[in-house]
Amino acid sequence: IDKPTPGPWQVIGRVQTDSRIMVLGDIELEVEPLPALMFRGETLKVTGQVTNDGKPIDVGYFRDVVSLIVEFVSTNNDEYDNFGAGTKSVTEFKDDGREFDERPMDGIFTGEFKLTFPAGEWQPELYIETAILKRTVVQKPIVVHEPPFDYEIALAEQDEDDHILTISLNPEIVKPETVLIQGKIYYPNNEEQMFSLDADKSQTRELAIK
């Protein structure tokens, strides 16, 4: 009922016992901005909140049917690899305390998603939609970069030698002296080995692998 006449109202009909009436005011979606620097393959955290006249909505039945949907829309900039990539729907969050949502029914949608789509210029769009309303937050275009490193492996020529893993950092995006590299090696016999390479001013790091 849009702009109802002021005064008393009565609901007549078969009303189920778990039915509720909610007076909606100015419904808004508030979302924290995404990081300014993002990389393909990175995992991000997103937090959003739906408010009614500036206050958190505390009606559980309303939050039960609301999902926060996150999409990335290609800006169709032909200078980037994602030209013509269209829209990528990356995730859908609910305020149910499951997966990455921190607390159920607290009015805050919290979740994580992975940037599995091509690097390039994208426009993030986050929205909620129900049968009676839709609210969308369109953020400024961002650039998703390729990971700021590359690697190559030199295989051992003799059984007694080590394989050499060389990791090269991109100094135009990251400062090598601030980068700590951690990883995991999977061997053919299903063994796993964690490794860590300390921060160094050099653009390259080497790791000997048995």
Side-chain angles (χ1 to χ4, degrees):
I1 305 174
D2 188 24
K3 297 180 181 179
T5 304
W9 288 80
Q10 182 179 13
V11 177
I12 300 175
R14 294 183 178 180
V15 182
Q16 297 180 357
T17 55
D18 60 349
S19 295
R20 297 292 185 273
I21 295 176
M22 180 180 181
V23 179
L24 296 180
D26 187 12
I27 302 295
E28 293 183 344
L29 171 61
E30 301 175 359
V31 181
E32 291 185 357
L34 295 172
L37 184 62
M38 300 190 298
F39 301 104
R40 181 178 58 82
E42 184 178 8
T43 299
L44 298 180
K45 178 180 178 180
V46 172
T47 300
Q49 184 177 31
V50 183
T51 60
N52 185 16
D53 284 337
K55 298 179 181 179
I57 295 178
D58 57 2
V59 181
Y61 293 93
F62 181 81
R63 294 195 301 263
D64 284 346
V65 298
V66 174
S67 298
L68 173 60
I69 301 171
V70 182
E71 293 182 343
F72 281 75
V73 182
S74 172
T75 60
N76 284 331
N77 188 333
D78 58 8
E79 296 181 1
Y80 295 95
D81 293 339
N82 68 328
F83 175 72
T87 300
K88 303 294 182 182
S89 182
V90 295
T91 190
E92 180 177 342
F93 302 143
K94 287 185 177 293
D95 184 20
D96 55 7
R98 298 179 180 179
E99 295 183 354
F100 295 103
D101 189 52
E102 295 178 352
R103 290 178 295 275
M105 299 304 168
D106 62 352
I108 299 176
F109 299 82
T110 308
E112 293 185 359
F113 61 91
K114 195 169 184 178
L115 301 176
T116 57
F117 43 81
E121 189 176 60
W122 298 88
Q123 186 165 50
E125 296 187 2
L126 305 95
Y127 66 91
I128 59 169
E129 185 173 17
T130 71
I132 58 175
L133 63 89
K134 181 176 182 179
R135 294 293 183 273
T136 303
V137 172
V138 179
Q139 299 187 352
K140 294 181 179 179
I142 58 172
V143 175
V144 177
H145 297 272
E146 290 288 350
F149 66 89
D150 199 1
Y151 68 91
E152 60 181 11
I153 298 177
L155 298 179
E157 297 183 358
Q158 305 294 331
D159 289 344
E160 61 270 16
D161 296 336
D162 292 336
H163 307 297
I164 301 298
L165 169 64
T166 302
I167 300 175
S168 302
L169 300 173
N170 184 347
E172 296 182 359
I173 299 181
V174 295
K175 295 180 179 179
E177 64 270 20
T178 68
V179 177
L180 172 69
I181 299 176
Q182 294 178 329
K184 182 183 290 187
I185 301 169
Y186 298 89
Y187 289 96
N189 61 356
N190 294 325
E191 289 186 6
E192 300 178 4
Q193 176 189 345
M194 299 293 297
F195 71 87
S196 178
L197 301 176
D198 295 333
D200 191 280
K201 292 183 178 181
S202 173
Q203 290 180 216
T204 60
R205 314 279 171 83
E206 288 190 351
L207 176 69
I209 303 175
K210 295 295 182 181

